[in-house]
Amino acid sequence: MTLGQASSCFRVPKSTIKFRIGSKWTKKLRRGPQTVLTLQEEIKLVKRIQEMERRGFPCTKHAVVFRVKAFLDDNPRKTPFKNNKPGYKWLQLFLGRHNQLCIRKPENVTMASATVSEPDIRSWFQKIMQYLRANGLEDVLTDPRRILNGDETGFPFDPVTKAVLASKGNRNVYLVQQADPKKNVTVLFTFDADGYMFPPDTILPYKRLPKQLIMNFDSDWGIGKSDKGWMDSENFVA
């Protein structure tokens, strides 16, 4: 776009845009000290972090810091780091220079789930099609109300606390569990391809469901029980 169009679109004065794309700005030296790693080295580190993420082994902050230390040990240069190990302040500045990276909490997946490929998924659908044809059920695929997708989520009685405030120098910080950490309430949600949501199915951690609880439960919802509140084959079929 032209300078005028860019100024109008982004609400930036034309003079500012013209200065920023001019030689006076592009040749201007950056403020502050030079980075310990060169731009090319930092870009290489970014690509390495992203590659590890794609493989299912994302780098922790600790791992990145020690990876940089190992690199500086092999490629000596003057650094402000003690024993060539950068601090977490350096990591914050590094993330600021490369905003395609951020700190995230990873979601655990099993090795079986991580190794599923596109051919595996296509093979699964082919087997389903073979089953439907063999049993004369191909008409199911023409009715979106008969194509269902369900997923369950668990609500633990004693969720894990990720971080707490504690006294400096205290090496042992304990948290007393308020409930059985293995018990939870499981809720199964099911939808059909037509967009209809079925009433949820709830599994509670009881040997025997209390009468008062059943009376106060939503009449449209499914209710079941298991020792720990987990979904099992009996509750799923019911």
Side-chain angles (χ1 to χ4, degrees), residues 33-99:
Q34 293 295 321
T35 57
V36 174
L37 301 179
T38 66
L39 177 59
Q40 291 73 20
E41 290 169 345
E42 288 198 348
I43 291 175
K44 188 175 181 180
L45 178 59
V46 169
K47 291 181 178 179
R48 176 63 176 174
I49 293 172
Q50 293 174 328
E51 177 63 24
M52 294 298 292
E53 178 188 355
R54 283 191 291 268
R55 295 185 181 186
F57 300 96
C59 297
T60 63
K61 294 185 288 185
H62 184 78
V64 172
V65 166
F66 273 88
R67 182 69 188 88
V68 173
K69 170 179 166 48
F71 176 80
L72 294 175
D73 287 342
D74 294 336
N75 299 270
R77 65 191 67 180
K78 185 178 180 181
T79 76
F81 309 141
K82 183 177 180 180
N83 297 325
N84 278 339
K85 179 188 173 185
Y88 290 110
K89 179 64 176 178
W90 171 87
L91 183 61
Q92 292 175 353
L93 296 174
F94 171 76
L95 293 175
R97 292 191 293 272
H98 304 279
N99 56 15

Side-chain angles (χ1 to χ4, degrees), residues 91-195:
L91 183 61
Q92 292 175 353
L93 296 174
F94 171 76
L95 293 175
R97 292 191 293 272
H98 304 279
N99 56 15
Q100 64 268 52
L101 300 177
C102 65
I103 303 297
R104 294 283 303 275
K105 177 187 173 184
E107 180 181 351
N108 292 330
V109 296
T110 63
M111 182 60 71
S113 298
T115 55
V116 173
S117 63
E118 180 180 341
D120 295 328
I121 297 175
R122 291 186 179 278
S123 175
W124 184 86
F125 277 102
Q126 290 173 359
K127 291 178 181 178
I128 294 297
M129 179 60 75
Q130 292 171 1
Y131 174 84
L132 294 176
R133 287 173 178 170
N135 292 273
L137 298 173
E138 291 180 87
D139 59 311
V140 169
L141 300 179
T142 64
D143 186 355
R145 294 172 299 177
R146 301 177 67 185
I147 302 175
L148 309 180
N149 183 30
D151 198 5
E152 61 185 41
T153 186
F155 300 92
F157 279 19
D158 192 28
V160 177
T161 302
K162 299 303 180 185
V164 297
L165 295 177
S167 301
K168 285 186 176 180
N170 190 356
R171 302 180 67 178
N172 298 310
V173 179
Y174 299 107
L175 176 68
V176 178
Q177 293 180 335
Q178 302 297 317
D180 187 342
K182 295 183 179 180
K183 283 188 177 181
N184 75 169
V185 174
T186 301
V187 182
L188 173 66
F189 297 95
T190 306
F191 303 82
D192 66 21
D194 202 28

